[in-house]
Amino acid sequence: MNKDIIYFAAGCFWGVEHLFKKLEGVIETEVGYMGGNLENPTYEDVCTGRTGHAETVKIVFDKDLISEEELIKYFFEIHDFTEYNRQGPDVGTQYRSVIFYTNEIQKEIAEKLKKVLEEKYTVETSIEEAKKFYQAEDYHQDYYDKTGKQPYCHYRRNVWINFKI
């Protein structure tokens, strides 16, 4: 197996995790916090909007089954990357759109795809090097599987139509 890791923040981590788990080649997901300045933040800390963390999903994937480009394209498809510090009804810096890359290949692909989208949209997604990932509390892991509910602001959109990549 040819494993790698990438991290995505795209609003509430419950919906992001739920949708990524469905992709062939995604081996494991975990929700947590990244990009902030407080060590070992709790959900309550992050919800204040003062820690700088974003609700983030760790994606472990098999590069032989799914590419970085496919994952990053999918990331842009499942949330509204034009919204600044929010996603639907969820507002705050913890809901911002971020690709946290773990290597230069991921960074280059993310920058290329963002540039393509900027031909038509204002893209609020930032591209940042992955930092320390703090696992969220257990009740947040696999939230929609545990509750039987469905995501309220994450769904797949065809944003790549009419683009040449």
Side-chain angles (χ1 to χ4, degrees), residues 124-142:
E124 296 294 347
T125 303
S126 63
I127 300 167
E128 303 173 22
E129 187 173 5
K131 296 181 178 70
K132 177 108 172 104
F133 177 77
Y134 297 97
Q135 182 182 19
E137 296 79 359
D138 195 49
Y139 70 95
H140 290 296
Q141 308 299 326
D142 303 309

Side-chain angles (χ1 to χ4, degrees), residues 21 23 26 48-49 129-130:
K21 283 176 57 174
L23 292 180
V26 171
T48 67
E129 187 173 5

Side-chain angles (χ1 to χ4, degrees), residues 94-108:
Q94 68 270 32
Y95 300 116
R96 68 189 182 276
S97 176
V98 186
I99 298 168
F100 290 109
Y101 61 89
T102 61
N103 60 56
E104 287 301 309
I105 292 169
Q106 292 173 3
K107 178 184 179 185
E108 289 170 17

Side-chain angles (χ1 to χ4, degrees), residues 24-164:
E24 182 179 354
V26 171
I27 301 163
E28 176 187 328
T29 61
E30 185 176 11
V31 299
Y33 317 108
M34 187 178 281
N37 52 30
L38 178 68
E39 287 193 34
N40 301 310
T42 64
Y43 181 68
E44 289 73 25
D45 293 332
V46 173
C47 282
T48 67
R50 295 190 305 255
T51 69
H53 291 90
E55 290 193 12
T56 303
V57 180
K58 175 182 178 182
I59 308 290
V60 180
F61 63 101
D62 183 342
K63 291 170 63 163
D64 294 331
L65 298 176
I66 192 165
S67 69
E68 290 92 341
E69 185 163 322
E70 290 172 292
L71 287 167
I72 295 167
K73 280 182 173 178
Y74 189 72
F75 161 81
F76 281 116
E77 291 174 351
I78 64 167
H79 79 293
D80 186 348
F81 53 83
T82 68
E83 291 195 309
Y84 179 73
N85 287 345
R86 71 174 301 148
Q87 202 59 210
D90 298 327
V91 179
T93 58
Q94 68 270 32
Y95 300 116
R96 68 189 182 276
S97 176
V98 186
I99 298 168
F100 290 109
Y101 61 89
T102 61
N103 60 56
E104 287 301 309
I105 292 169
Q106 292 173 3
K107 178 184 179 185
E108 289 170 17
I109 293 168
E111 288 173 345
K112 176 186 86 169
L113 293 174
K114 180 179 176 179
K115 186 174 181 179
V116 168
L117 289 172
E118 286 175 332
E119 294 173 15
K120 194 172 186 178
Y121 302 100
T122 298
V123 180
E124 296 294 347
T125 303
S126 63
I127 300 167
E128 303 173 22
E129 187 173 5
K131 296 181 178 70
K132 177 108 172 104
F133 177 77
Y134 297 97
Q135 182 182 19
E137 296 79 359
D138 195 49
Y139 70 95
H140 290 296
Q141 308 299 326
D142 303 309
Y143 179 82
Y144 285 120
D145 290 343
K146 291 176 183 174
T147 64
K149 297 177 182 178
Q150 291 295 313
Y152 54 89
C153 62
H154 291 96
Y155 58 90
R156 194 166 187 181
R157 306 153 176 87
N158 187 356
V159 299
W160 300 107
I161 196 163
N162 300 324
F163 284 108
K164 292 181 184 173

